[in-house]
Amino acid sequence: MQEASDLLRDVWGGDRNTMPAPLLRALAHSGNYVVGLFEGQRMVGASVAFFEAPARRAMHSHITGVHPDLQGHGIGRALKQHQREWALARDVGHISWTFDPLVARNAHFNLRVLGARVTEYLPDQYGPMDDGINSGDESDRVMVSWALAAPPAPTPAPESVVATVAVPHDIETMRRDNAADAAQWRVRVRDAFLGHLTHGLVVGGFDDSQGYLFVRR
């Protein structure tokens, strides 16, 4: 538990409150999902999820992290597939989680690779965060739901796309190099996203060059 806590702290830029070891122990002891992925004796990834209300037969995946030196090597996908198998074995039909809508690689992974569906846009969901990744920014998040027994949601055909919302290619670097530009992107994406949702559109997928693809219900 301490190794998982340390790993997640390092992934999130040194915040010791990201996932304290006692909390991980309590979640695991009460039957929730607390998993580490190892390369030999070294933990290289960790994931934590907890059950939603019993009638929903769902889990919420709160955090999944991969060692900074090994990101982009399929470890995150391996953790998600393990989480899916673990959940199905316990009669769970859906897993939800949130991610920062400005992080294009996460949108690509969640919507294109896993085929999860966007269910909500949550402005400043967690309030101020003081970790090394989110400090100084508002914590807007997109909520997605992954139907574990269904085929992945396909990327919509071009003719069905009625609006798009672009995001930066690399918001992490922009936050370090030009915080003012990053803040403008936050407001721009939030306003566009919420505007399209208000007008009855839904996110149908993600395209690496165009951003979020909105379709009619």
Side-chain angles (χ1 to χ4, degrees), residues 57-126:
R57 295 181 54 246
M59 295 196 323
H60 182 75
S61 181
H62 178 62
I63 191 168
T64 297
V66 175
H67 192 284
D69 294 341
L70 297 170
Q71 293 176 2
H73 289 74
I75 294 173
R77 185 166 188 169
L79 281 166
K80 277 298 178 190
Q81 291 301 333
H82 181 271
Q83 192 177 80
R84 176 182 181 273
E85 294 167 7
W86 191 95
L88 285 172
R90 290 157 178 81
D91 296 325
V92 169
H94 290 80
I95 300 176
S96 65
W97 63 91
T98 65
F99 69 94
D100 187 336
L102 296 184
V103 182
R105 59 185 174 84
N106 286 349
H108 173 98
F109 177 71
N110 293 327
L111 303 186
R112 289 186 69 91
V113 176
L114 296 180
R117 296 180 182 273
V118 173
T119 59
E120 292 181 88
Y121 187 97
L122 304 166
D124 205 19
Q125 168 72 349
Y126 302 114

Short mmCIF file of all heavy atoms in Angstrom, two decimals, residues 57-126:
data_model
loop_
_atom_site.label_atom_id
_atom_site.label_comp_id
_atom_site.label_asym_id
_atom_site.label_seq_id
_atom_site.Cartn_x
_atom_site.Cartn_y
_atom_site.Cartn_z
N ARG A 57 -24.85 -1.42 -9.92
CA ARG A 57 -23.89 -2.42 -10.42
C ARG A 57 -22.76 -1.73 -11.18
O ARG A 57 -22.42 -2.08 -12.31
CB ARG A 57 -24.58 -3.44 -11.32
CG ARG A 57 -25.62 -4.31 -10.62
CD ARG A 57 -26.27 -5.32 -11.52
NE ARG A 57 -25.27 -6.16 -12.19
CZ ARG A 57 -25.07 -6.15 -13.51
NH1 ARG A 57 -25.77 -5.35 -14.29
NH2 ARG A 57 -24.16 -6.95 -14.04
N ALA A 58 -22.15 -0.74 -10.53
CA ALA A 58 -21.12 0.06 -11.18
C ALA A 58 -19.99 0.36 -10.20
O ALA A 58 -20.15 0.26 -8.98
CB ALA A 58 -21.73 1.36 -11.71
N MET A 59 -18.85 0.71 -10.76
CA MET A 59 -17.71 1.17 -9.97
C MET A 59 -17.26 2.52 -10.51
O MET A 59 -17.46 2.83 -11.68
CB MET A 59 -16.53 0.19 -10.07
CG MET A 59 -16.75 -1.16 -9.49
SD MET A 59 -15.19 -2.10 -9.22
CE MET A 59 -14.17 -1.62 -10.61
N HIS A 60 -16.63 3.30 -9.62
CA HIS A 60 -16.00 4.55 -10.05
C HIS A 60 -14.49 4.39 -9.88
O HIS A 60 -14.00 4.10 -8.78
CB HIS A 60 -16.49 5.74 -9.23
CG HIS A 60 -15.88 7.03 -9.69
ND1 HIS A 60 -16.29 7.67 -10.85
CD2 HIS A 60 -14.87 7.78 -9.18
CE1 HIS A 60 -15.57 8.76 -11.01
NE2 HIS A 60 -14.70 8.85 -10.02
N SER A 61 -13.78 4.56 -10.97
CA SER A 61 -12.32 4.46 -10.96
C SER A 61 -11.76 5.83 -10.62
O SER A 61 -11.80 6.75 -11.45
CB SER A 61 -11.82 3.97 -12.32
OG SER A 61 -10.42 3.84 -12.32
N HIS A 62 -11.26 5.97 -9.42
CA HIS A 62 -10.86 7.29 -8.93
C HIS A 62 -9.49 7.72 -9.46
O HIS A 62 -9.29 8.89 -9.80
CB HIS A 62 -10.84 7.30 -7.40
CG HIS A 62 -10.39 8.61 -6.82
ND1 HIS A 62 -11.08 9.78 -7.03
CD2 HIS A 62 -9.31 8.93 -6.05
CE1 HIS A 62 -10.46 10.77 -6.40
NE2 HIS A 62 -9.38 10.29 -5.81
N ILE A 63 -8.55 6.78 -9.55
CA ILE A 63 -7.20 7.16 -9.95
C ILE A 63 -6.47 5.96 -10.55
O ILE A 63 -6.59 4.84 -10.06
CB ILE A 63 -6.42 7.73 -8.74
CG1 ILE A 63 -5.12 8.39 -9.19
CG2 ILE A 63 -6.16 6.67 -7.68
CD1 ILE A 63 -4.46 9.22 -8.08
N THR A 64 -5.76 6.20 -11.63
CA THR A 64 -4.87 5.21 -12.24
C THR A 64 -3.60 5.93 -12.65
O THR A 64 -3.67 6.95 -13.35
CB THR A 64 -5.52 4.55 -13.47
OG1 THR A 64 -6.71 3.84 -13.06
CG2 THR A 64 -4.57 3.56 -14.13
N GLY A 65 -2.47 5.43 -12.21
CA GLY A 65 -1.21 6.09 -12.53
C GLY A 65 -0.15 5.12 -12.98
O GLY A 65 -0.09 3.98 -12.52
N VAL A 66 0.70 5.57 -13.89
CA VAL A 66 1.82 4.79 -14.42
C VAL A 66 3.09 5.56 -14.12
O VAL A 66 3.14 6.79 -14.26
CB VAL A 66 1.65 4.56 -15.93
CG1 VAL A 66 2.87 3.86 -16.52
CG2 VAL A 66 0.38 3.77 -16.21
N HIS A 67 4.14 4.83 -13.73
CA HIS A 67 5.43 5.45 -13.42
C HIS A 67 5.82 6.42 -14.55
O HIS A 67 5.71 6.08 -15.73
CB HIS A 67 6.50 4.37 -13.25
CG HIS A 67 7.76 4.90 -12.66
ND1 HIS A 67 8.68 5.63 -13.38
CD2 HIS A 67 8.27 4.80 -11.40
CE1 HIS A 67 9.69 5.96 -12.60
NE2 HIS A 67 9.47 5.49 -11.40
N PRO A 68 6.26 7.63 -14.21
CA PRO A 68 6.57 8.63 -15.25
C PRO A 68 7.54 8.15 -16.32
O PRO A 68 7.45 8.58 -17.48
CB PRO A 68 7.16 9.79 -14.44
CG PRO A 68 6.54 9.65 -13.09
CD PRO A 68 6.42 8.17 -12.85
N ASP A 69 8.47 7.27 -15.97
CA ASP A 69 9.45 6.80 -16.95
C ASP A 69 8.88 5.76 -17.92
O ASP A 69 9.53 5.42 -18.92
CB ASP A 69 10.65 6.17 -16.24
CG ASP A 69 11.43 7.19 -15.43
OD1 ASP A 69 11.27 8.41 -15.70
OD2 ASP A 69 12.19 6.78 -14.53
N LEU A 70 7.68 5.25 -17.64
CA LEU A 70 7.14 4.15 -18.43
C LEU A 70 5.79 4.47 -19.08
O LEU A 70 5.12 3.57 -19.57
CB LEU A 70 7.01 2.90 -17.55
CG LEU A 70 8.33 2.35 -16.99
CD1 LEU A 70 8.07 1.29 -15.94
CD2 LEU A 70 9.18 1.77 -18.12
N GLN A 71 5.42 5.72 -19.09
CA GLN A 71 4.15 6.08 -19.71
C GLN A 71 4.25 5.93 -21.22
O GLN A 71 5.30 6.15 -21.82
CB GLN A 71 3.77 7.51 -19.31
CG GLN A 71 3.46 7.63 -17.84
CD GLN A 71 3.16 9.03 -17.37
OE1 GLN A 71 3.16 9.96 -18.17
NE2 GLN A 71 2.92 9.21 -16.08
N GLY A 72 3.14 5.51 -21.84
CA GLY A 72 3.13 5.28 -23.27
C GLY A 72 3.59 3.90 -23.69
O GLY A 72 3.83 3.66 -24.88
N HIS A 73 3.70 2.97 -22.72
CA HIS A 73 4.17 1.61 -23.02
C HIS A 73 3.07 0.55 -22.82
O HIS A 73 3.37 -0.62 -22.69
CB HIS A 73 5.38 1.26 -22.15
CG HIS A 73 6.63 2.00 -22.53
ND1 HIS A 73 6.80 3.34 -22.24
CD2 HIS A 73 7.75 1.60 -23.18
CE1 HIS A 73 7.99 3.73 -22.69
NE2 HIS A 73 8.57 2.70 -23.27
N GLY A 74 1.83 0.98 -22.76
CA GLY A 74 0.72 0.03 -22.65
C GLY A 74 0.37 -0.38 -21.24
O GLY A 74 -0.53 -1.21 -21.05
N ILE A 75 1.01 0.21 -20.23
CA ILE A 75 0.74 -0.18 -18.85
C ILE A 75 -0.65 0.29 -18.42
O ILE A 75 -1.39 -0.43 -17.75
CB ILE A 75 1.84 0.37 -17.92
CG1 ILE A 75 3.17 -0.30 -18.24
CG2 ILE A 75 1.46 0.15 -16.44
CD1 ILE A 75 4.35 0.28 -17.49
N GLY A 76 -1.03 1.52 -18.81
CA GLY A 76 -2.36 2.01 -18.48
C GLY A 76 -3.45 1.14 -19.07
O GLY A 76 -4.45 0.85 -18.41
N ARG A 77 -3.23 0.69 -20.29
CA ARG A 77 -4.23 -0.18 -20.92
C ARG A 77 -4.31 -1.52 -20.20
O ARG A 77 -5.41 -2.06 -20.00
CB ARG A 77 -3.87 -0.39 -22.39
CG ARG A 77 -4.93 -1.19 -23.15
CD ARG A 77 -4.71 -1.09 -24.65
NE ARG A 77 -5.81 -1.69 -25.38
CZ ARG A 77 -5.99 -1.58 -26.69
NH1 ARG A 77 -5.12 -0.86 -27.40
NH2 ARG A 77 -7.01 -2.15 -27.28
N ALA A 78 -3.16 -2.06 -19.79
CA ALA A 78 -3.18 -3.32 -19.05
C ALA A 78 -3.94 -3.18 -17.73
O ALA A 78 -4.70 -4.08 -17.34
CB ALA A 78 -1.74 -3.78 -18.78
N LEU A 79 -3.76 -2.05 -17.05
CA LEU A 79 -4.49 -1.82 -15.80
C LEU A 79 -5.99 -1.73 -16.06
O LEU A 79 -6.80 -2.29 -15.30
CB LEU A 79 -3.99 -0.54 -15.13
CG LEU A 79 -2.67 -0.66 -14.36
CD1 LEU A 79 -2.12 0.73 -14.04
CD2 LEU A 79 -2.86 -1.46 -13.08
N LYS A 80 -6.38 -1.03 -17.10
CA LYS A 80 -7.81 -0.89 -17.41
C LYS A 80 -8.42 -2.25 -17.77
O LYS A 80 -9.55 -2.55 -17.38
CB LYS A 80 -8.03 0.11 -18.54
CG LYS A 80 -8.06 1.56 -18.08
CD LYS A 80 -9.22 1.79 -17.11
CE LYS A 80 -9.24 3.21 -16.59
NZ LYS A 80 -10.21 3.37 -15.49
N GLN A 81 -7.71 -3.06 -18.52
CA GLN A 81 -8.25 -4.37 -18.88
C GLN A 81 -8.36 -5.26 -17.64
O GLN A 81 -9.33 -6.02 -17.49
CB GLN A 81 -7.37 -5.02 -19.95
CG GLN A 81 -7.45 -4.33 -21.30
CD GLN A 81 -8.84 -4.29 -21.90
OE1 GLN A 81 -9.68 -5.15 -21.63
NE2 GLN A 81 -9.12 -3.28 -22.70
N HIS A 82 -7.39 -5.18 -16.74
CA HIS A 82 -7.49 -5.94 -15.50
C HIS A 82 -8.68 -5.45 -14.67
O HIS A 82 -9.43 -6.26 -14.10
CB HIS A 82 -6.20 -5.81 -14.69
CG HIS A 82 -6.23 -6.58 -13.41
ND1 HIS A 82 -6.70 -6.05 -12.22
CD2 HIS A 82 -5.87 -7.87 -13.13
CE1 HIS A 82 -6.62 -6.96 -11.27
NE2 HIS A 82 -6.12 -8.07 -11.79
N GLN A 83 -8.85 -4.14 -14.61
CA GLN A 83 -9.99 -3.57 -13.87
C GLN A 83 -11.31 -4.07 -14.46
O GLN A 83 -12.25 -4.41 -13.72
CB GLN A 83 -9.91 -2.05 -13.94
CG GLN A 83 -10.83 -1.31 -13.00
CD GLN A 83 -10.62 0.18 -13.09
OE1 GLN A 83 -11.15 0.82 -14.01
NE2 GLN A 83 -9.86 0.76 -12.17
N ARG A 84 -11.38 -4.15 -15.79
CA ARG A 84 -12.60 -4.64 -16.45
C ARG A 84 -12.87 -6.10 -16.06
O ARG A 84 -14.00 -6.45 -15.70
CB ARG A 84 -12.43 -4.53 -17.97
CG ARG A 84 -13.59 -5.11 -18.78
CD ARG A 84 -13.32 -4.98 -20.28
NE ARG A 84 -14.45 -5.51 -21.04
CZ ARG A 84 -14.58 -6.79 -21.38
NH1 ARG A 84 -13.64 -7.68 -21.03
NH2 ARG A 84 -15.63 -7.19 -22.07
N GLU A 85 -11.85 -6.95 -16.13
CA GLU A 85 -12.04 -8.37 -15.79
C GLU A 85 -12.43 -8.53 -14.32
O GLU A 85 -13.29 -9.34 -13.98
CB GLU A 85 -10.76 -9.13 -16.10
CG GLU A 85 -10.43 -9.19 -17.59
CD GLU A 85 -9.02 -9.66 -17.86
OE1 GLU A 85 -8.33 -10.08 -16.89
OE2 GLU A 85 -8.58 -9.59 -19.03
N TRP A 86 -11.80 -7.77 -13.44
CA TRP A 86 -12.10 -7.80 -12.01
C TRP A 86 -13.55 -7.41 -11.77
O TRP A 86 -14.27 -8.03 -10.99
CB TRP A 86 -11.15 -6.87 -11.29
CG TRP A 86 -11.13 -6.95 -9.80
CD1 TRP A 86 -10.29 -7.68 -9.00
CD2 TRP A 86 -11.98 -6.21 -8.88
NE1 TRP A 86 -10.56 -7.46 -7.67
CE2 TRP A 86 -11.59 -6.57 -7.57
CE3 TRP A 86 -13.01 -5.29 -9.06
CZ2 TRP A 86 -12.20 -6.03 -6.44
CZ3 TRP A 86 -13.63 -4.75 -7.93
CH2 TRP A 86 -13.22 -5.13 -6.64
N ALA A 87 -14.00 -6.35 -12.46
CA ALA A 87 -15.36 -5.86 -12.27
C ALA A 87 -16.39 -6.86 -12.80
O ALA A 87 -17.40 -7.13 -12.14
CB ALA A 87 -15.52 -4.51 -12.96
N LEU A 88 -16.15 -7.40 -13.98
CA LEU A 88 -17.10 -8.37 -14.55
C LEU A 88 -17.25 -9.59 -13.65
O LEU A 88 -18.34 -10.15 -13.52
CB LEU A 88 -16.64 -8.78 -15.95
CG LEU A 88 -16.86 -7.75 -17.06
CD1 LEU A 88 -16.19 -8.21 -18.34
CD2 LEU A 88 -18.35 -7.50 -17.28
N ALA A 89 -16.16 -10.01 -13.02
CA ALA A 89 -16.22 -11.16 -12.11
C ALA A 89 -17.06 -10.88 -10.88
O ALA A 89 -17.47 -11.82 -10.18
CB ALA A 89 -14.80 -11.57 -11.69
N ARG A 90 -17.36 -9.61 -10.62
CA ARG A 90 -18.17 -9.22 -9.47
C ARG A 90 -19.51 -8.62 -9.89
O ARG A 90 -20.13 -7.86 -9.15
CB ARG A 90 -17.37 -8.25 -8.59
CG ARG A 90 -16.22 -8.95 -7.88
CD ARG A 90 -15.10 -8.01 -7.47
NE ARG A 90 -14.05 -8.74 -6.77
CZ ARG A 90 -13.10 -9.46 -7.40
NH1 ARG A 90 -13.07 -9.53 -8.73
NH2 ARG A 90 -12.17 -10.09 -6.69
N ASP A 91 -19.96 -8.97 -11.10
CA ASP A 91 -21.26 -8.54 -11.63
C ASP A 91 -21.39 -7.04 -11.78
O ASP A 91 -22.50 -6.48 -11.65
CB ASP A 91 -22.40 -9.09 -10.76
CG ASP A 91 -22.46 -10.60 -10.77
OD1 ASP A 91 -22.18 -11.19 -11.84
OD2 ASP A 91 -22.78 -11.20 -9.72
N VAL A 92 -20.29 -6.37 -12.04
CA VAL A 92 -20.32 -4.93 -12.31
C VAL A 92 -20.42 -4.72 -13.81
O VAL A 92 -19.66 -5.32 -14.58
CB VAL A 92 -19.05 -4.25 -11.75
CG1 VAL A 92 -18.93 -2.81 -12.25
CG2 VAL A 92 -19.06 -4.29 -10.23
N GLY A 93 -21.36 -3.87 -14.23
CA GLY A 93 -21.58 -3.68 -15.66
C GLY A 93 -20.94 -2.43 -16.25
O GLY A 93 -20.70 -2.37 -17.46
N HIS A 94 -20.67 -1.42 -15.40
CA HIS A 94 -20.11 -0.16 -15.89
C HIS A 94 -19.02 0.32 -14.94
O HIS A 94 -19.10 0.13 -13.73
CB HIS A 94 -21.19 0.93 -15.98
CG HIS A 94 -22.19 0.72 -17.07
ND1 HIS A 94 -23.25 -0.15 -16.93
CD2 HIS A 94 -22.29 1.26 -18.32
CE1 HIS A 94 -23.97 -0.14 -18.05
NE2 HIS A 94 -23.41 0.70 -18.89
N ILE A 95 -18.02 0.96 -15.51
CA ILE A 95 -17.01 1.68 -14.73
C ILE A 95 -16.99 3.12 -15.22
O ILE A 95 -16.94 3.37 -16.43
CB ILE A 95 -15.60 1.07 -14.88
CG1 ILE A 95 -15.58 -0.38 -14.40
CG2 ILE A 95 -14.57 1.89 -14.11
CD1 ILE A 95 -14.24 -1.08 -14.61
N SER A 96 -17.06 4.06 -14.29
CA SER A 96 -16.97 5.48 -14.63
C SER A 96 -15.66 6.04 -14.11
O SER A 96 -15.05 5.49 -13.19
CB SER A 96 -18.15 6.26 -14.04
OG SER A 96 -18.09 6.24 -12.62
N TRP A 97 -15.22 7.14 -14.70
CA TRP A 97 -14.07 7.88 -14.18
C TRP A 97 -14.07 9.27 -14.81
O TRP A 97 -14.84 9.54 -15.73
CB TRP A 97 -12.75 7.17 -14.42
CG TRP A 97 -12.35 6.96 -15.86
CD1 TRP A 97 -11.59 7.78 -16.65
CD2 TRP A 97 -12.66 5.82 -16.69
NE1 TRP A 97 -11.43 7.23 -17.90
CE2 TRP A 97 -12.07 6.03 -17.95
CE3 TRP A 97 -13.39 4.65 -16.47
CZ2 TRP A 97 -12.17 5.11 -19.00
CZ3 TRP A 97 -13.49 3.74 -17.51
CH2 TRP A 97 -12.89 3.97 -18.74
N THR A 98 -13.25 10.14 -14.29
CA THR A 98 -13.12 11.49 -14.83
C THR A 98 -11.72 11.69 -15.39
O THR A 98 -10.77 11.02 -14.98
CB THR A 98 -13.40 12.57 -13.78
OG1 THR A 98 -12.39 12.51 -12.76
CG2 THR A 98 -14.78 12.39 -13.15
N PHE A 99 -11.62 12.62 -16.33
CA PHE A 99 -10.29 13.03 -16.80
C PHE A 99 -10.36 14.49 -17.23
O PHE A 99 -11.43 15.03 -17.52
CB PHE A 99 -9.80 12.13 -17.95
CG PHE A 99 -10.55 12.26 -19.24
CD1 PHE A 99 -10.10 13.13 -20.24
CD2 PHE A 99 -11.69 11.53 -19.48
CE1 PHE A 99 -10.79 13.25 -21.44
CE2 PHE A 99 -12.39 11.63 -20.69
CZ PHE A 99 -11.93 12.50 -21.67
N ASP A 100 -9.21 15.11 -17.30
CA ASP A 100 -9.11 16.51 -17.69
C ASP A 100 -9.38 16.62 -19.19
O ASP A 100 -8.66 16.03 -19.99
CB ASP A 100 -7.71 17.03 -17.36
CG ASP A 100 -7.56 18.53 -17.59
OD1 ASP A 100 -8.32 19.10 -18.40
OD2 ASP A 100 -6.65 19.12 -16.99
N PRO A 101 -10.40 17.36 -19.61
CA PRO A 101 -10.73 17.43 -21.04
C PRO A 101 -9.64 18.05 -21.89
O PRO A 101 -9.65 17.88 -23.12
CB PRO A 101 -12.01 18.27 -21.07
CG PRO A 101 -11.99 19.05 -19.79
CD PRO A 101 -11.32 18.16 -18.79
N LEU A 102 -8.70 18.78 -21.29
CA LEU A 102 -7.64 19.40 -22.07
C LEU A 102 -6.51 18.43 -22.42
O LEU A 102 -5.67 18.76 -23.26
CB LEU A 102 -7.05 20.60 -21.31
CG LEU A 102 -7.99 21.78 -21.05
CD1 LEU A 102 -7.22 22.92 -20.39
CD2 LEU A 102 -8.65 22.27 -22.33
N VAL A 103 -6.47 17.27 -21.78
CA VAL A 103 -5.36 16.34 -22.02
C VAL A 103 -5.74 15.43 -23.18
O VAL A 103 -6.49 14.45 -23.04
CB VAL A 103 -5.05 15.52 -20.75
CG1 VAL A 103 -3.87 14.59 -21.00
CG2 VAL A 103 -4.72 16.47 -19.58
N ALA A 104 -5.20 15.74 -24.36
CA ALA A 104 -5.61 15.06 -25.58
C ALA A 104 -5.30 13.56 -25.55
O ALA A 104 -6.09 12.75 -26.03
CB ALA A 104 -4.92 15.71 -26.78
N ARG A 105 -4.16 13.19 -24.99
CA ARG A 105 -3.80 11.76 -24.98
C ARG A 105 -4.77 10.95 -24.13
O ARG A 105 -5.07 9.79 -24.44
CB ARG A 105 -2.36 11.57 -24.51
CG ARG A 105 -2.06 12.10 -23.12
CD ARG A 105 -0.58 11.98 -22.77
NE ARG A 105 -0.27 12.62 -21.51
CZ ARG A 105 -0.42 12.05 -20.33
NH1 ARG A 105 -0.86 10.80 -20.26
NH2 ARG A 105 -0.12 12.69 -19.22
N ASN A 106 -5.30 11.54 -23.07
CA ASN A 106 -6.29 10.83 -22.26
C ASN A 106 -7.63 10.74 -22.98
O ASN A 106 -8.32 9.71 -22.90
CB ASN A 106 -6.47 11.52 -20.91
CG ASN A 106 -5.30 11.28 -19.98
OD1 ASN A 106 -4.44 10.45 -20.26
ND2 ASN A 106 -5.24 12.03 -18.90
N ALA A 107 -8.01 11.79 -23.68
CA ALA A 107 -9.24 11.74 -24.47
C ALA A 107 -9.13 10.67 -25.55
O ALA A 107 -10.07 9.90 -25.77
CB ALA A 107 -9.53 13.11 -25.09
N HIS A 108 -7.99 10.60 -26.21
CA HIS A 108 -7.77 9.58 -27.24
C HIS A 108 -7.89 8.18 -26.63
O HIS A 108 -8.59 7.32 -27.18
CB HIS A 108 -6.38 9.77 -27.86
CG HIS A 108 -5.99 8.69 -28.81
ND1 HIS A 108 -6.12 8.80 -30.17
CD2 HIS A 108 -5.47 7.44 -28.60
CE1 HIS A 108 -5.72 7.69 -30.76
NE2 HIS A 108 -5.31 6.85 -29.83
N PHE A 109 -7.24 7.96 -25.51
CA PHE A 109 -7.25 6.64 -24.89
C PHE A 109 -8.66 6.26 -24.42
O PHE A 109 -9.15 5.16 -24.71
CB PHE A 109 -6.28 6.60 -23.71
CG PHE A 109 -6.27 5.31 -22.96
CD1 PHE A 109 -5.72 4.17 -23.52
CD2 PHE A 109 -6.81 5.21 -21.69
CE1 PHE A 109 -5.71 2.96 -22.84
CE2 PHE A 109 -6.81 4.02 -20.99
CZ PHE A 109 -6.25 2.88 -21.58
N ASN A 110 -9.32 7.17 -23.72
CA ASN A 110 -10.62 6.85 -23.14
C ASN A 110 -11.72 6.68 -24.18
O ASN A 110 -12.56 5.77 -24.08
CB ASN A 110 -11.03 7.94 -22.14
CG ASN A 110 -10.14 7.97 -20.92
OD1 ASN A 110 -9.65 6.95 -20.47
ND2 ASN A 110 -9.91 9.15 -20.40
N LEU A 111 -11.73 7.55 -25.20
CA LEU A 111 -12.83 7.54 -26.16
C LEU A 111 -12.53 6.70 -27.40
O LEU A 111 -13.42 6.01 -27.90
CB LEU A 111 -13.17 8.98 -26.57
CG LEU A 111 -13.54 9.93 -25.43
CD1 LEU A 111 -14.00 11.27 -25.97
CD2 LEU A 111 -14.61 9.34 -24.53
N ARG A 112 -11.30 6.74 -27.89
CA ARG A 112 -10.98 6.00 -29.12
C ARG A 112 -10.51 4.57 -28.83
O ARG A 112 -10.91 3.62 -29.50
CB ARG A 112 -9.91 6.73 -29.93
CG ARG A 112 -10.39 8.00 -30.58
CD ARG A 112 -9.32 8.58 -31.49
NE ARG A 112 -9.10 7.77 -32.67
CZ ARG A 112 -9.74 7.95 -33.82
NH1 ARG A 112 -10.66 8.89 -33.95
NH2 ARG A 112 -9.46 7.19 -34.87
N VAL A 113 -9.64 4.42 -27.82
CA VAL A 113 -9.08 3.09 -27.55
C VAL A 113 -10.06 2.24 -26.75
O VAL A 113 -10.41 1.11 -27.16
CB VAL A 113 -7.73 3.21 -26.80
CG1 VAL A 113 -7.20 1.83 -26.44
CG2 VAL A 113 -6.72 3.96 -27.67
N LEU A 114 -10.54 2.76 -25.63
CA LEU A 114 -11.46 1.98 -24.79
C LEU A 114 -12.91 2.07 -25.29
O LEU A 114 -13.70 1.16 -25.06
CB LEU A 114 -11.40 2.46 -23.35
CG LEU A 114 -10.06 2.26 -22.63
CD1 LEU A 114 -10.15 2.79 -21.20
CD2 LEU A 114 -9.63 0.80 -22.64
N GLY A 115 -13.25 3.16 -25.96
CA GLY A 115 -14.63 3.31 -26.43
C GLY A 115 -15.61 3.67 -25.35
O GLY A 115 -16.79 3.34 -25.43
N ALA A 116 -15.14 4.38 -24.30
CA ALA A 116 -16.06 4.86 -23.26
C ALA A 116 -16.89 6.02 -23.80
O ALA A 116 -16.55 6.63 -24.82
CB ALA A 116 -15.26 5.29 -22.03
N ARG A 117 -17.98 6.34 -23.11
CA ARG A 117 -18.88 7.40 -23.53
C ARG A 117 -18.87 8.54 -22.51
O ARG A 117 -18.90 8.30 -21.30
CB ARG A 117 -20.31 6.87 -23.67
CG ARG A 117 -20.47 5.82 -24.77
CD ARG A 117 -21.91 5.34 -24.85
NE ARG A 117 -22.07 4.30 -25.87
CZ ARG A 117 -22.32 4.53 -27.16
NH1 ARG A 117 -22.43 5.80 -27.57
NH2 ARG A 117 -22.47 3.55 -28.02
N VAL A 118 -18.86 9.76 -23.01
CA VAL A 118 -18.94 10.94 -22.14
C VAL A 118 -20.35 11.07 -21.61
O VAL A 118 -21.32 11.03 -22.37
CB VAL A 118 -18.54 12.21 -22.92
CG1 VAL A 118 -18.80 13.46 -22.07
CG2 VAL A 118 -17.07 12.14 -23.33
N THR A 119 -20.48 11.26 -20.29
CA THR A 119 -21.80 11.43 -19.67
C THR A 119 -22.00 12.82 -19.07
O THR A 119 -23.14 13.26 -18.95
CB THR A 119 -22.02 10.39 -18.57
OG1 THR A 119 -21.00 10.52 -17.56
CG2 THR A 119 -21.96 8.97 -19.15
N GLU A 120 -20.92 13.51 -18.68
CA GLU A 120 -21.07 14.82 -18.05
C GLU A 120 -19.82 15.66 -18.28
O GLU A 120 -18.72 15.12 -18.46
CB GLU A 120 -21.23 14.69 -16.52
CG GLU A 120 -22.50 14.06 -16.03
CD GLU A 120 -22.51 14.01 -14.51
OE1 GLU A 120 -22.96 15.00 -13.88
OE2 GLU A 120 -22.07 13.00 -13.95
N TYR A 121 -20.00 16.99 -18.23
CA TYR A 121 -18.87 17.92 -18.10
C TYR A 121 -18.99 18.56 -16.74
O TYR A 121 -20.05 19.13 -16.39
CB TYR A 121 -18.90 18.99 -19.20
CG TYR A 121 -17.66 19.85 -19.20
CD1 TYR A 121 -16.61 19.58 -20.07
CD2 TYR A 121 -17.54 20.93 -18.32
CE1 TYR A 121 -15.46 20.37 -20.06
CE2 TYR A 121 -16.39 21.71 -18.31
CZ TYR A 121 -15.36 21.42 -19.18
OH TYR A 121 -14.21 22.19 -19.17
N LEU A 122 -17.95 18.50 -15.93
CA LEU A 122 -18.00 18.92 -14.53
C LEU A 122 -17.01 20.08 -14.31
O LEU A 122 -15.82 19.86 -14.13
CB LEU A 122 -17.64 17.74 -13.62
CG LEU A 122 -18.50 16.48 -13.82
CD1 LEU A 122 -17.85 15.29 -13.13
CD2 LEU A 122 -19.90 16.72 -13.29
N PRO A 123 -17.50 21.33 -14.31
CA PRO A 123 -16.60 22.47 -14.09
C PRO A 123 -16.00 22.47 -12.68
O PRO A 123 -16.71 22.30 -11.70
CB PRO A 123 -17.51 23.68 -14.29
CG PRO A 123 -18.69 23.17 -15.08
CD PRO A 123 -18.87 21.76 -14.61
N ASP A 124 -14.69 22.63 -12.61
CA ASP A 124 -13.96 22.73 -11.34
C ASP A 124 -14.41 21.65 -10.36
O ASP A 124 -14.68 21.92 -9.17
CB ASP A 124 -14.15 24.12 -10.75
CG ASP A 124 -13.00 24.51 -9.83
OD1 ASP A 124 -11.91 23.91 -9.93
OD2 ASP A 124 -13.18 25.42 -9.01
N GLN A 125 -14.45 20.42 -10.81
CA GLN A 125 -15.02 19.31 -10.05
C GLN A 125 -14.40 19.12 -8.68
O GLN A 125 -15.09 18.84 -7.71
CB GLN A 125 -14.87 18.02 -10.88
CG GLN A 125 -15.15 16.72 -10.15
CD GLN A 125 -16.63 16.50 -9.84
OE1 GLN A 125 -17.44 17.40 -10.00
NE2 GLN A 125 -16.96 15.31 -9.41
N TYR A 126 -13.08 19.23 -8.56
CA TYR A 126 -12.40 18.95 -7.30
C TYR A 126 -11.94 20.21 -6.57
O TYR A 126 -11.27 20.10 -5.55
CB TYR A 126 -11.21 18.02 -7.55
CG TYR A 126 -11.61 16.72 -8.22
CD1 TYR A 126 -11.19 16.42 -9.51
CD2 TYR A 126 -12.42 15.80 -7.56
CE1 TYR A 126 -11.57 15.23 -10.13
CE2 TYR A 126 -12.81 14.62 -8.17
CZ TYR A 126 -12.38 14.34 -9.45
OH TYR A 126 -12.75 13.17 -10.06
#
